[in-house]
């Protein structure tokens, strides 16, 4: 058998199988093999002079050196989990590109095109050569427009130097967490939560403290529970309203109760993620936490353009807050990404010029979302064993399917949790959803209704068919 | 004197001072009836709560004013305190503000081409918007652009990657900092030859690593001496950052020198190399660009960063990338998935068009490079005529890094002393002079 070298691509391991030639020792030492972890091989030849009895021979030896490179990663990156929603969305996209007709209800983005006036402004920016670096914090123009919006729509006053524009609200949030949290600080996160919040805490070497909520209470944080969990290490409370993944909206009265608890703790700041602000269904209304008495100084308000204006691909979001904090975030940003896209910022100014709450362009989208919400709440409400909290904002349904856990599906296996149920629905029903455990609540599954009513109707049919099979698999 | 409340805010603190005159009817002191005079309290924050309280002390009822300063802890994380803001970004923003205020400053501070993005790229961007290509892309970038990048790296740089070994970000700055954060553990050393791009040491600090600065000499064209590198390596050395063509010096590392450096790197299993090749195509013959990852044995340990901003005048589009072994690139992708997600869908379409312009950006880029070369020649000649000025002729990028230190120690009437590069720059900005020889009396 010849010498052979095998490398496999799944791990970076190489296996070198060597047959030692009989002239070495006279004995057939058979096949020896060596495994080494890396692809870096150095092949050298070496001339060796061998003295045997009275003769000397010269032989060429093949020397294989496995160059070791230390491929270890930083503890920080090892401690952080990748975004599950990003991963599932990318996975479903890959399936579709491979020709599998998956109905994708996993993504967190509107299925509408960016409204025309905004798209025009973007194209004009490109046409006019507005393609250079902007100031790190964003152009004065967009920061002024944001101050105006926050005053008119949210009742909170900021000056342009208290605004930081970033490549999406995700960046606004993670920079805020990194700026205010020191190692060992606690970040209070009500569950179900947006997948990234705990990982952002870890990126800042802080500890995520998860506070569970109940579907029977519309997944809203109980102020007494909050109070019971606060310690002197509590540094940041993250609120998201309207909420991803639940669609819950915090009523003003509840936010006021929470504010009273917060006020008693000097170390506790609040990050208020308001990205879904305008995707809201009357009679629910949105209240900005920073507008509550005494809360302006300790609130970091995050908002953006992606969801309200269907601008997810443009990458534009912002932070508003006391200058001290916003400058610190700006410092991080100056060494991470610098300013956001000049083109997107021009488009953003146009978006804010569409009128109160985005004007008609946005209200058309919200009307469509509401229709779809109503359809899904009704359809899933007809299913047995399913619990729903009717969402008042955003475009997600967070449904409790846990009564299906413990069932089996022929040819698939056991349904034990939200992950296996989602895998089953993808395999059997070809519908991509997100398991609730990614959001800190394994009893539920998140369904995005940023898809046409026709698509949703088809999805509901497929899901119902797949779930019925489960019922039948339960032994009598 | 009436009660008064004054708020003073400087850039570092916000203090409020409340001066209270205690009227004789308010029981503010321990001994009733005495005039407690003016009491004043300072407190560090803007958060004040005013309430009144009724105090019943027969036969009087008095109203007490209670002022509560609710303290909010505004301290920042040690990490953000340890990093400095980008000086070039700050100076550029400052100069922009001056121009917007009407001051006709000639801005030669920014690190960006003064050309518009070439037409075919612009068209692709506009088409993307027209066609509704405005959604989230995969975190690592679209398959299309990653394939185009693999093709470019093979054809132009002689390095082989597959699309899962490419990570597209919102600019090469992000590609660099994520790479540093992924591979450096606390206490690791990041070797940075000086002069360096301002952000490298701060990126090291973001990763809790220690920047180790290696000086170079203008007489050696600011190129790293392999012996100096070898003498500074320790078991904590984790990452060597090379930038060629270099910002701020314009130096280009010849292939032979990179080979010498790679031989040293090869002896250190812990040492990886981040090679910042963003200025690759802004290069002046006979200098040529060599990608470090193409050197024997170096592919496994090299993180290649490149992008679109400089070559294609796309600074405002925010698009850069990392290419490297999958293990490292995935780790960077993990950070990115929690920091920014994918880059702009519109910019990625434009990026594909940029890579389709032909070898080294084709004619569109060669026109810009020709213009840069002309300007370089002019400046090198002009400054070469000045007394006491040392120059290393740049072979790439669009910066001149001139030694003006012979002017330090001079004084200017109405300005003050020129002590260092900062005061010299401030002088040049204030006085608007473009020929220091005429303005400075020494």
């Amino acid at each position: 058998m010849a010498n052979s070298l095998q490398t496999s691509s799944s791990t970076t391991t190489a296996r070198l199988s060597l047959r030692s030639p009989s002239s070495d020792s006279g004995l057939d030492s058979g096949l020896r093999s060596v495994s080494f972890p890396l692809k870096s091989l150095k092949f050298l030849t070496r001339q060796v002079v061998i003295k045997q009895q009275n003769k000397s021979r010269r032989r060429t030896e093949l020397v294989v050196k496995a160059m070791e490179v230390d491929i270890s990663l930083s503890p920080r990156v090892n401690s952080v989990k990748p975004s599950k929603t990003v991963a599932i969305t990318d996975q479903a996209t890959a399936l579709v590109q491979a020709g599998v007709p998956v109905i994708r209800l996993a993504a967190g983005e509107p299925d509408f095109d960016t409204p025309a006036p905004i798209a025009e402004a973007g194209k004009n920016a490109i046409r006019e050569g507005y393609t250079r670096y902007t100031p790190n914090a964003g152009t004065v123009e967009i920061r002024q427009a944001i101050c105006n919006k926050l005053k008119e729509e949210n009742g909170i006053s900021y000056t342009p130097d208290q605004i930081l524009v970033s490549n999406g609200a995700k960046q606004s949030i993670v920079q805020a967490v990194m700026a205010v949290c020191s190692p060992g600080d606690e970040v209070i996160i009500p569950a179900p939560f947006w997948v990234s919040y705990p990982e952002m805490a870890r990126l800042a070497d802080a500890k995520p403290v998860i506070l569970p909520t109940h579907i029977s209470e519309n997944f809203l944080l109980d102020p007494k529970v909050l109070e019971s969990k606060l310690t002197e290490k509590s540094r940041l409370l993250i609120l998201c309203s309207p909420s991803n993944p639940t669609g819950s909206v915090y009523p003003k009265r509840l936010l006021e109760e929470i504010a009273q608890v917060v006020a008693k703790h000097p170390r506790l700041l609040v990050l208020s993620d308001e990205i879904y602000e305008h995707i809201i269904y009357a009679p629910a209304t949105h209240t900005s936490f920073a507008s509550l008495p005494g809360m302006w100084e300790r609130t970091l308000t995050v908002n953006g353009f992606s969801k309200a204006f269907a601008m997810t691909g443009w990458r534009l979001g912002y932070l508003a807050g006391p200058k001290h904090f916003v400058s610190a975030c700006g410092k991080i940003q100056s060494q991470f990404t610098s300013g956001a896209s000049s083109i997107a910022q021009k488009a953003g100014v146009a978006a804010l010029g569409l009128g109160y709450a985005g004007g008609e362009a946005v209200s058309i989208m919200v009307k469509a979302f509401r229709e779809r919400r109503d359809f899904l709440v009704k359809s899933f409400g007809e299913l047995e064993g399913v619990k729903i909290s009717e969402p008042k904002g955003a475009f997600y349904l967070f449904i409790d399917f846990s009564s299906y856990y413990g069932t089996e599906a022929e040819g698939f296996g056991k349904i034990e949790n939200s992950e296996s149920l989602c895998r089953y629905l993808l395999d059997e029903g070809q519908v991509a959803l997100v398991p609730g455990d990614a959001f800190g609540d394994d009893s539920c599954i998140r369904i995005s209704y940023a898809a046409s009513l026709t698509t949703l109707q088809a999805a509901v049919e497929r899901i119902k068919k797949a779930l019925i099979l489960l019922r039948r698999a339960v032994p009598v």
Side-chain angles (χ1 to χ4, degrees), chain A:
Chain A
M1 197 197 265
N3 294 334
S4 66
L5 178 65
Q6 241 174 351
T7 48
S8 81
S9 57
S10 56
T11 57
T12 34
T13 312
R15 189 168 206 81
L16 179 66
S17 301
L18 296 165
R19 179 169 176 77
S20 27
S22 51
S23 59
D24 247 357
S25 55
L27 296 168
D28 184 356
S29 41
L31 210 66
R32 285 182 321 206
S33 74
V34 166
S35 284
F36 37 84
L38 296 138
K39 285 193 274 203
S40 179
L41 290 178
K42 205 162 162 177
F43 290 89
L44 307 161
T45 52
R46 206 159 58 189
Q47 292 288 324
V48 175
V49 177
I50 298 168
K51 286 202 172 82
Q52 238 181 8
Q53 292 155 353
N54 289 329
K55 289 187 242 175
S56 49
R57 279 185 300 148
R58 192 189 292 274
R59 197 178 68 217
T60 303
E61 271 189 3
L62 179 69
V63 180
V64 181
K65 254 171 143 174
M67 295 283 305
E68 295 219 1
V69 176
D70 177 354
I71 60 165
S72 54
L73 300 167
S74 66
R76 176 173 291 113
V77 79
N78 283 331
S79 75
V80 164
K81 297 188 217 119
S83 166
K84 270 196 179 162
T85 46
V86 164
I88 288 172
T89 307
D90 289 1
Q91 199 185 331
T93 300
L95 279 169
V96 166
Q97 282 182 340
V100 182
V102 174
I103 296 181
R104 288 172 289 175
L105 302 180
E109 69 179 334
D111 59 314
F112 298 100
D113 285 341
T114 309
I118 304 171
E120 269 320 296
K123 283 188 284 182
N124 284 339
I126 295 172
R127 211 174 277 132
E128 286 159 20
Y130 199 76
T131 53
R132 311 287 164 86
Y133 286 134
T134 73
N136 181 55
T139 61
V140 175
E141 186 189 30
I142 196 174
R143 285 182 283 132
Q144 277 171 343
I146 290 168
C147 288
N148 207 46
K149 170 256 186 287
L150 291 171
K151 181 157 171 278
E152 297 299 314
E153 296 182 356
N154 306 78
I156 31 184
S157 288
Y158 295 99
T159 46
D161 61 353
Q162 293 167 333
I163 308 290
L164 176 68
V165 178
S166 303
N167 297 281
K170 179 179 262 182
Q171 184 177 0
S172 307
I173 298 172
V174 69
Q175 286 175 163
V177 177
M178 285 176 75
V180 307
C181 293
S182 301
D185 275 349
E186 289 171 0
V187 178
I188 319 283
I189 302 166
F193 47 77
W194 182 49
V195 295
S196 293
Y197 297 145
E199 305 315 312
M200 292 172 172
R202 290 191 182 98
L203 275 175
D205 298 319
K207 180 179 161 207
V209 172
I210 311 300
L211 300 190
T213 61
H214 303 287
I215 193 169
S216 54
E217 284 162 26
N218 294 318
F219 299 112
L220 296 170
L221 177 62
D222 180 343
K224 290 191 209 70
V225 170
L226 170 64
E227 186 149 34
S228 70
K229 288 294 186 188
L230 292 178
T231 71
E232 72 265 5
K233 292 204 150 28
S234 309
R235 181 53 171 160
L236 191 64
L237 165 65
I238 302 184
L239 295 175
C240 181
S241 179
S243 162
N244 171 6
T246 68
S248 311
V249 171
Y250 278 71
K252 185 173 183 179
R253 267 176 299 109
L254 176 55
L255 289 178
E256 284 170 340
E257 283 181 60
I258 292 170
Q260 277 160 23
V261 173
V262 168
K264 294 190 248 176
H265 293 260
R267 283 213 77 219
L268 189 60
L269 307 175
V270 176
L271 185 120
S272 173
D273 183 352
E274 308 188 3
I275 192 77
Y276 294 97
E277 172 193 9
H278 291 313
I279 322 281
I280 194 163
Y281 313 116
T285 54
H286 176 78
T287 303
S288 286
F289 198 83
S291 69
L292 302 174
M295 290 297 112
W296 188 96
E297 292 75 21
R298 50 169 98 217
T299 306
L300 303 161
T301 302
V302 169
N303 208 324
F305 297 82
S306 296
K307 319 292 180 177
F309 301 103
M311 285 176 76
T312 39
W314 296 75
R315 314 314 294 122
L316 200 67
Y318 56 88
L319 168 74
K323 184 175 173 180
H324 177 73
F325 295 129
V326 174
S327 298
C329 295
K331 200 162 57 147
I332 296 174
Q333 182 159 307
S334 78
Q335 302 294 13
F336 216 98
T337 58
S338 298
S341 156
S342 55
I343 299 157
Q345 288 182 63
K346 274 289 184 188
V349 170
L352 293 175
L354 285 180
Y356 190 88
E360 203 187 329
V362 171
S363 66
I364 288 173
M365 292 193 263
V366 176
K367 189 162 172 285
F369 285 131
R370 185 179 193 136
E371 223 175 33
R372 302 156 176 192
R373 175 200 72 160
D374 293 345
F375 166 72
L376 285 181
V377 168
K378 180 171 177 296
S379 305
F380 284 111
E382 290 164 353
L383 283 177
E384 262 188 62
V386 153
K387 286 194 250 173
I388 301 178
S389 156
E390 187 185 73
K392 299 195 164 60
F395 37 74
Y396 309 107
L397 215 52
F398 203 61
I399 304 185
D400 184 331
F401 279 109
S402 57
S403 68
Y404 289 86
Y405 300 168
T407 59
E408 268 191 63
E410 210 179 305
F412 176 83
K414 216 169 177 191
I415 308 291
E416 287 173 323
N417 49 27
S418 63
E419 217 220 311
S420 38
L421 181 53
C422 281
R423 255 187 307 114
Y424 171 68
L425 291 171
L426 181 62
D427 277 6
E428 177 66 37
Q430 292 184 331
V431 179
L433 308 170
V434 188
D437 81 322
F439 306 98
D441 188 337
D442 195 39
S443 58
C444 297
I445 288 181
R446 188 188 81 172
I447 304 173
S448 163
Y449 49 91
S452 71
L453 210 47
T454 329
T455 306
L456 292 174
Q457 283 160 346
V460 166
E461 281 315 302
R462 292 190 193 182
I463 293 171
K464 281 186 173 169
K465 277 203 189 105
L467 289 178
I468 287 171
L469 289 175
L470 287 181
R471 277 296 184 212
R472 283 206 214 113
V474 176
V476 178

